[in-house]
Amino acid sequence: MKALDRKLLRDLRRLWSQALTIALVVASGVGSYVTALSAVDSLAEARDAFYAQGRFADVFAAVRRAPRAMADTLAAIPGVGDIQLSIERVVRVDIAGVDDPLLARMIGIDPRQPRRLNAVMVRSGAPLDPDSQGVRGDGAIDALVSASFAQAHGLGPGSRLSALINGRQRALVVRGIALSPEYVFAGMTGMPDLRGFGVLWVDERVLAAAWDMEGAFDHVSVRLAPGASPPAVIAALNRHLARYGGRDAHAREHQTSHAFLQREIDEQRVFATVLPVIFLAVAAFLLNVVISRLVATQREQIAALKALGYPDRTIAGHFMKLVAVIVTVGLIIGFAGGEAFGRLMTGLYAGFFQFPEFAHRMTPSLFVTGALVAVITALTGTLNAIWATVRLPPAEAMRPPAPGRYRVSWLERISPRLLGPGPRMILRNMQRRPWRTTLSVLGMAAAVAIVMMGNFARDSIAVIVDTAFSVAMRADLTVRLIEPGDDAARHALARLPGVIAVESGRDVAVRFVAGHRSERGAIQGLEAQPQLRRVVDLDGHAVALPGEGLLMSDRLAAKLGLRPGDFLRVEVIEGRQPSLLVPLAGTVRDMMGLNAYMERRALNRLLGESDVASAYSLALERGAEPATLAAIRGLPTLVGTFSKASLERNMNEVSARNIRIMSSIMTVFAVVIAVGVVYNNARIALAERTWELASLRVLGFTRGEVSALLLGEQALLIALALPLGMLMGEGLVRGIVSLLASDQFAFPVALQPRTYAWAALCVVAAGVGSALVVRRRVDRLDMVAALKTRE
């Protein structure tokens, strides 16, 4: 073994704890990168494979009722590669032993021929029988049930449930559990609801008979031909289907399941980019500080090596080997941890999104990219520091560094008697090396900021849930009618058991048009002073509705290029489908969706309708929900019932749980950063001041007094870093939120006091742990060896 290699091993043995903490910081950067990207790549790969296997459509449209003879006309549209016609309705579902209100989208399929688009794949059980007409001898309807809904309720082949089909309660028998690329994500309103919403596929002859749709369809899916223009196909579809009540053709990007899945992928790619950059930047900082100070403490050894004939390149290579060992250990730990955490995240996605095959995969490019980034980080952080020292002439390197110049600190000038000898020494030492002190404070502040960033998602979800379910949705139940009707129905609802207040609403599906820009959406008609269903901004404040005109989400207004006072055209895509000119009265910074609000009666006047409502918000007596739901089941005119308690519980079971787990993974990486920064700073300070501390011990200072000088400086650095780190953390969170912002969703910047406290606690705990290690080393200080080193 070469002499320099033996020296390398000795250095690693001596610096093993510092090397390990730096390796763990490198591992955190690589691990966070591998965790997020491997999970999101696995998700994207499963999605693309399922879309291709299931022939997922590119464009979707809905009509009231159109003849199937339109199929040839639609297929002849330029750019259309294939079409799939279907009958689809939303129905109420009842399962024995389940009190929560349940909804399902019932889709008619032809069991005699496979679907050309949006294929239905049976995971277990059997497909629909083509010879049974879809109905059993006892009148029960055979159905395929979506996998997530079946799993949430323990349904399997042979299970029974019932559905309200066009006002008539019908029994259903589960024939099989199925998947479709159209419903990878389960949720009716864009919110995750695995328990409350499902998909049922039945023989289309059953739906046609129940809703008098023989020879007709109400939904069409389109697969585009290669090179086709989606806007042109959408415009042609709207034109051909307008006479049948269709004006809602939209591309895949607006399909609920795909939009939610794509948003998740985009958000995770942001985390996979931002977090590793921050972690590896801190790792570069640590490597630079540790290696530069290590090289500085070995000036005499470097001079001796150069005097013996070792060239600068060989000596620099020796120190680069030390860096390479640290980075290699970090890569091994990072890849192993990233692979484990990536599997965990993939498992979370598997319970959230439904695919026929979904396995965690790590591509070779991920290993190569992670290793390359780590190596570049190491070179950036250390090369300049190493080369600057090894280029010193031997004679200059042999001389010890010039003694520092100590000055009276500004605090001593203000109050000379305020500080004792110990604090004065601490302040003067920090003032003597202002650049090093600044870097140490910034490193510790970065640790605080990173811990805050790892926890902000949990705080944001808590605020979103509280705002949505406590401030905006103050009703206990929301019910929707099959068709908009006379508002007198609220009197019947007010007489239901347990109901103490009823508030009417009117939701209208529309297309907003401003010049050449257009956007699909809905106008939510609310009471003039709503109490049960309110408009709430990003700060949690209720916003009053204007007397006339629209109140619109600021994101929607920005997409349309509108400002308050501008007029826009509103094309209604239901009922008589009028086209209206409406002023934009104001905007609101809300959290979710591209929303537009209007006073309900003003909306009815605009539509030329009488006092009409389509939804009702109900406030209930405490504990009365089961009785109210039982009474609602007897009202066939209600298509859907939503329970706030059920929605909140279902959301917490899925979304909030996943956020907490992913936030915990990020917190683990962040805490490693905190420990690495604080511990290395303390150990380096000890290595630099060994001679000084030994001198003080010889002069009569006790071990406690000597330790207080060193650890007091670390405590002061931490005290300065905490407030700065909290400010940096808030800025970092705001930057992340701006990157995560989308048309459909805006994360609130919500940092709870517990997050600030946890970040401070992590850094203080790292400081205390480091102090214990350093105090132990001070107690074992060999004063003779330390003083002879300076000689």
Side-chain angles (χ1 to χ4, degrees):
M1 182 179 292
K2 295 181 180 179
L4 288 182
D5 292 334
R6 286 196 295 272
K7 178 180 178 298
L8 173 63
L9 293 177
R10 290 169 182 167
D11 286 343
L12 285 172
R13 190 183 309 118
R14 181 169 54 87
L15 300 171
W16 71 268
S17 58
Q18 291 175 262
L20 179 60
T21 54
I22 298 173
L24 289 176
V25 173
V26 175
S28 296
V30 175
S32 61
Y33 174 78
V34 171
T35 296
L37 271 191
S38 65
V40 81
D41 287 348
S42 300
L43 184 61
E45 185 175 338
R47 176 200 62 183
D48 295 341
F50 191 22
Y51 282 4
Q53 184 182 5
R55 300 178 298 280
F56 188 37
D58 300 303
V59 177
F60 305 83
V63 297
R64 292 185 62 85
R65 189 180 193 279
R68 288 188 175 265
M70 282 289 296
D72 293 338
T73 302
L74 299 178
I77 294 175
V80 171
D82 199 358
I83 65 169
Q84 177 72 58
L85 308 180
S86 62
I87 303 171
E88 302 182 16
R89 296 297 169 101
V90 175
V91 298
R92 284 161 44 189
V93 174
D94 290 309
I95 300 176
V98 179
D99 295 328
D100 294 340
L102 307 175
L103 290 178
R105 180 170 292 277
M106 187 170 280
I107 302 174
I109 61 175
D110 188 351
R112 295 163 296 183
Q113 56 183 6
R115 287 167 66 89
R116 296 193 301 274
L117 302 178
N118 306 328
V120 180
M121 304 178 187
V122 179
R123 170 181 282 184
S124 63
L128 298 180
D129 186 355
D131 301 323
S132 68
Q133 301 290 319
V135 181
R136 300 192 174 200
D138 60 357
I141 301 171
D142 283 332
L144 302 176
V145 181
S146 57
S148 57
F149 188 74
Q151 182 178 357
H153 295 285
L155 300 177
S159 299
R160 299 181 74 91
L161 58 156
S162 64
L164 186 66
I165 301 177
N166 199 17
R168 180 185 174 191
Q169 199 75 21
R170 300 288 300 273
L172 303 177
V173 177
V174 178
R175 187 170 174 85
I177 309 301
L179 301 172
S180 170
E182 202 174 2
Y183 293 99
V184 171
F185 157 78
M188 183 154 182
T189 59
M191 297 179 66
D193 193 1
L194 303 182
R195 295 182 57 85
F197 176 78
V199 183
L200 303 172
W201 293 274
V202 301
D203 193 312
E204 67 180 4
R205 290 169 289 187
V206 174
L207 293 188
W211 271 285
D212 190 24
M213 293 285 288
E214 288 88 352
F217 70 93
D218 57 15
H219 283 76
V220 58
S221 302
V222 175
R223 189 74 178 268
L224 296 177
S229 169
V233 173
I234 289 172
L237 281 173
N238 285 330
R239 188 167 57 252
H240 285 292
L241 297 175
R243 59 185 296 191
Y244 303 107
R247 195 189 281 177
D248 191 30
H250 56 277
R252 180 189 291 181
E253 63 187 31
H254 296 295
Q255 198 262 348
T256 302
S257 172
H258 174 80
F260 193 93
L261 177 56
Q262 186 61 47
R263 185 166 71 238
E264 182 67 25
I265 291 174
D266 292 341
E267 289 176 358
Q268 289 305 313
R269 289 197 187 280
V270 170
F271 281 113
T273 303
V274 175
L275 294 183
V277 168
I278 296 171
F279 290 168
L280 290 174
V282 174
F285 162 75
L286 284 179
L287 282 169
N288 179 272
V289 171
V290 172
I291 299 301
S292 62
R293 296 185 185 181
L294 173 65
V295 174
T297 59
Q298 296 189 10
R299 287 165 57 101
E300 293 86 352
Q301 299 177 32
I302 293 173
L305 290 172
K306 298 179 74 169
L308 291 172
Y310 284 91
D312 292 349
R313 184 173 301 175
T314 301
I315 299 173
H318 161 69
F319 287 104
M320 289 306 300
K321 285 181 182 180
L322 176 64
V323 175
V325 171
I326 295 174
V327 172
T328 300
V329 173
L331 284 173
I332 294 172
I333 299 175
F335 284 134
E339 201 271 343
F341 284 134
R343 285 187 181 277
L344 177 60
M345 288 186 63
T346 302
L348 295 178
Y349 284 141
F352 199 69
F353 301 107
Q354 296 296 321
F355 299 101
E357 296 181 3
F358 188 23
H360 180 251
R361 295 179 176 86
M362 288 185 62
T363 60
S365 61
L366 202 57
F367 287 99
V368 174
T369 306
L372 184 62
V373 171
V375 169
I376 292 175
T377 299
L379 290 175
T380 303
T382 60
L383 195 58
N384 183 64
I386 292 173
W387 193 245
T389 302
V390 300
R391 290 182 64 187
L392 288 175
E396 182 179 348
M398 280 288 187
R399 292 196 299 267
R405 296 182 61 188
Y406 290 91
R407 299 183 178 89
V408 177
S409 67
W410 60 269
L411 191 57
E412 292 177 83
R413 294 192 183 99
I414 295 175
S415 180
R417 299 181 180 179
L418 182 63
L419 302 176
R424 289 184 184 182
M425 295 173 69
I426 292 173
L427 286 176
R428 290 181 181 182
N429 187 67
M430 293 173 61
Q431 182 177 283
R432 181 171 68 93
R433 298 169 175 174
W435 182 241
R436 184 169 298 177
T437 300
T438 301
L439 288 179
S440 298
V441 171
L442 288 176
M444 295 179 184
V448 176
I450 290 171
V451 176
M452 290 176 60
M453 183 182 62
N455 284 269
F456 96 92
R458 186 182 309 179
D459 293 342
S460 295
I461 288 295
V463 170
I464 290 170
V465 170
D466 180 69
T467 302
F469 294 105
S470 298
V471 183
M473 188 189 300
R474 303 175 73 184
D476 298 295
L477 292 178
T478 300
V479 296
R480 296 188 180 278
L481 303 178
I482 295 176
E483 294 286 347
D486 195 313
D487 188 45
R490 65 186 174 89
H491 299 300
L493 293 172
R495 291 192 292 270
L496 293 177
V499 176
I500 58 177
V502 179
E503 199 168 272
S504 307
R506 175 77 164 98
D507 296 340
V508 182
V510 300
R511 176 178 288 104
F512 302 104
V513 181
H516 66 283
R517 302 178 182 179
S518 65
E519 194 70 30
R520 297 169 61 251
I523 298 178
Q524 301 180 36
L526 309 178
E527 295 297 336
Q529 295 181 340
Q531 298 300 315
L532 303 181
R533 182 182 172 194
R534 304 193 298 177
V535 181
V536 177
D537 64 16
L538 203 59
D539 298 319
H541 301 138
V543 179
L545 292 174
E548 297 289 339
L550 287 171
L551 177 67
M552 185 176 286
S553 297
D554 58 346
R555 297 183 300 278
L556 178 56
K559 289 194 72 173
L560 295 171
L562 295 172
R563 295 180 179 179
D566 294 343
F567 280 80
L568 67 153
R569 191 168 78 254
V570 175
E571 298 176 351
V572 181
I573 53 180
E574 62 179 55
R576 296 181 293 105
Q577 299 190 352
S579 183
L580 311 167
L581 195 63
V582 186
L584 176 61
T587 61
V588 57
R589 295 176 62 247
D590 52 2
M591 292 184 186
M592 291 180 285
L594 300 175
N595 303 305
Y597 311 92
M598 198 171 186
E599 198 274 321
R600 183 178 65 86
R601 290 182 173 82
L603 177 60
N604 284 331
R605 288 195 300 271
L606 190 66
L607 296 172
E609 298 176 344
S610 58
D611 195 11
V612 173
S614 59
Y616 295 93
S617 301
L618 280 59
L620 308 179
E621 298 174 353
R622 185 182 298 272
E625 185 170 306
T628 308
L629 288 173
I632 286 174
R633 290 189 180 97
L635 302 177
T637 57
L638 300 181
V639 68
T641 305
F642 301 90
S643 165
K644 180 174 74 172
S646 297
L647 286 173
E648 185 175 4
R649 182 173 62 253
N650 296 345
M651 182 175 179
N652 282 328
E653 285 180 359
V654 181
S655 182
R657 179 200 64 191
N658 291 1
I659 286 291
R660 283 194 296 269
I661 292 176
M662 288 188 285
S663 177
S664 298
I665 293 174
M666 294 298 106
T667 302
V668 169
F669 291 136
V671 170
V672 170
I673 295 285
V675 172
V677 171
V678 177
Y679 177 75
N680 275 281
N681 193 70
R683 283 297 310 275
I684 291 168
L686 175 61
E688 289 179 336
R689 302 184 65 185
T690 299
W691 186 86
E692 298 175 16
L693 298 177
S695 299
L696 292 174
R697 290 282 290 119
V698 171
L699 292 174
F701 280 69
T702 65
R703 293 175 181 175
E705 291 171 333
V706 171
S707 299
L709 291 176
L710 183 63
L711 300 180
E713 180 177 337
Q714 301 305 309
L716 184 55
L717 292 174
I718 291 176
L720 294 173
L722 289 180
L724 177 61
M726 291 175 184
L727 291 175
M728 290 171 59
E730 184 172 344
L732 187 59
V733 167
R734 291 186 181 277
I736 292 286
V737 166
S738 66
L739 292 174
L740 292 177
S742 65
D743 293 339
Q744 294 292 333
F745 192 78
F747 257 100
V749 178
L751 289 168
Q752 301 294 328
R754 64 184 180 188
T755 297
Y756 290 97
W758 173 245
L761 180 63
C762 287
V763 174
V764 170
V768 171
S770 302
L772 293 175
V773 174
V774 171
R775 171 59 192 266
R776 185 180 180 186
R777 289 183 173 271
V778 170
D779 291 344
R780 296 179 176 181
L781 187 64
D782 187 341
M783 292 181 286
V784 175
L787 294 173
K788 287 181 67 176
T789 299
R790 175 58 66 103
E791 295 173 1

